[in-house]
Amino acid sequence: MPPFPEDTITKPFDLRLEIRSANGSSTEFFQSDEQHVRATLPLLAAPRLFTQPHLLLASEDCASMIPCKGIDMIMVRTTAPLPLKFPLELPAGLFDIAEHSDPRPDKRPAAIEAHDGQPRQRNSLVEIHTLGGWVVTLETVAMFRGNAHDERQFFSRLTTMLTIPFRLAEGGFGLINNVNIVRVSAWPKPEMLPGLVLPLSLRR
């Protein structure tokens, strides 16, 4: 019997879950059963995941209950099909948010402008710090459908999202608990900043 073509072979996939806590600790969980992986991924991708009192994880031998308010971020590493579709479809437009390996590149992404009335693309790097000392740098590509005011307000609206999802470089997705964010920095600087702005430079 001739071998099956490579693209017709169903490759097994697993799930590695890393929970980064507000006390600076990290806990990992693993699942290799495909049925359980498929059932777990949509639950993790729920927009209001961090608003529930606890995150309950259970295996055949053990159960773990983690208060959601103590979770800074969750890293979901898998080669399985993702329940989140990137770019994200948000009211203001399409947003692709991905993990970026170099936190401070010499060459920063430049804003790409278009004529009024046409979708405008903006590229930026966003560095997020959480209570537990975790730091993640995200590369964001936003295609705005609204007016210029909506575009300029993107930086402030990012911090109003309950959960900030992003793509992982090695496959899978990450989730940031917005309540536990202590600082957000963006390059290049947004054109419009809300509220009181202190004219200071970031030193360390």
Side-chain angles (χ1 to χ4, degrees):
M1 180 180 294
F4 289 102
E6 184 177 354
D7 58 356
T8 64
I9 299 175
T10 303
K11 298 181 180 180
F13 48 75
D14 55 26
L15 171 65
R16 290 177 293 130
L17 191 70
E18 180 189 0
I19 296 180
R20 299 179 176 180
S21 301
N23 64 0
S25 66
S26 174
T27 308
E28 294 189 4
F29 299 87
F30 180 80
Q31 179 57 257
S32 59
D33 182 84
E34 182 174 328
Q35 184 177 356
H36 288 156
V37 171
R38 291 184 180 274
T40 301
L41 288 175
L43 299 176
L44 290 170
R48 303 185 66 85
L49 175 70
F50 291 120
T51 63
Q52 58 186 346
H54 298 88
L55 189 65
L56 183 62
L57 303 98
S59 66
E60 294 181 358
D61 304 318
C62 176
S64 299
M65 187 167 60
I66 304 174
C68 287
K69 65 180 181 181
I71 300 175
D72 280 9
M73 65 179 70
I74 299 176
M75 312 299 263
V76 185
R77 298 181 175 91
T78 183
T79 56
L82 300 184
L84 290 170
K85 183 179 180 181
F86 291 92
L88 302 172
E89 180 77 28
L90 300 177
L94 296 174
F95 296 85
D96 188 41
I97 309 175
E99 181 184 30
H100 188 83
S101 58
D102 187 359
R104 297 285 178 85
D106 294 332
K107 184 177 181 181
R108 297 173 182 174
I112 300 176
E113 301 290 348
H115 297 292
D116 290 340
Q118 299 295 325
R120 291 175 298 277
Q121 178 176 316
R122 182 173 294 278
N123 296 27
S124 63
L125 291 181
V126 178
E127 184 182 83
I128 297 179
H129 295 247
T130 66
L131 287 174
W134 303 102
V135 182
V136 62
T137 302
L138 306 177
E139 183 173 359
T140 66
V141 180
M143 182 64 73
F144 293 91
R145 291 191 296 262
N147 54 38
H149 179 75
D150 292 335
E151 178 184 354
R152 294 176 184 136
Q153 289 295 321
F154 168 66
F155 182 63
S156 61
R157 289 178 179 175
L158 184 68
T159 58
T160 65
M161 299 170 61
L162 296 174
T163 303
I164 300 177
F166 59 94
R167 294 187 292 109
L168 293 179
E170 70 270 26
F173 60 95
L175 303 166
I176 301 174
N177 186 356
N178 213 335
V179 176
N180 289 1
I181 292 177
V182 296
R183 177 162 64 84
V184 179
S185 300
W187 297 270
K189 184 182 75 174
E191 295 180 8
M192 180 179 292
L193 297 172
L196 177 65
V197 179
L198 303 179
L200 298 172
S201 297
L202 181 63
R203 183 174 181 181
R204 60 180 178 180

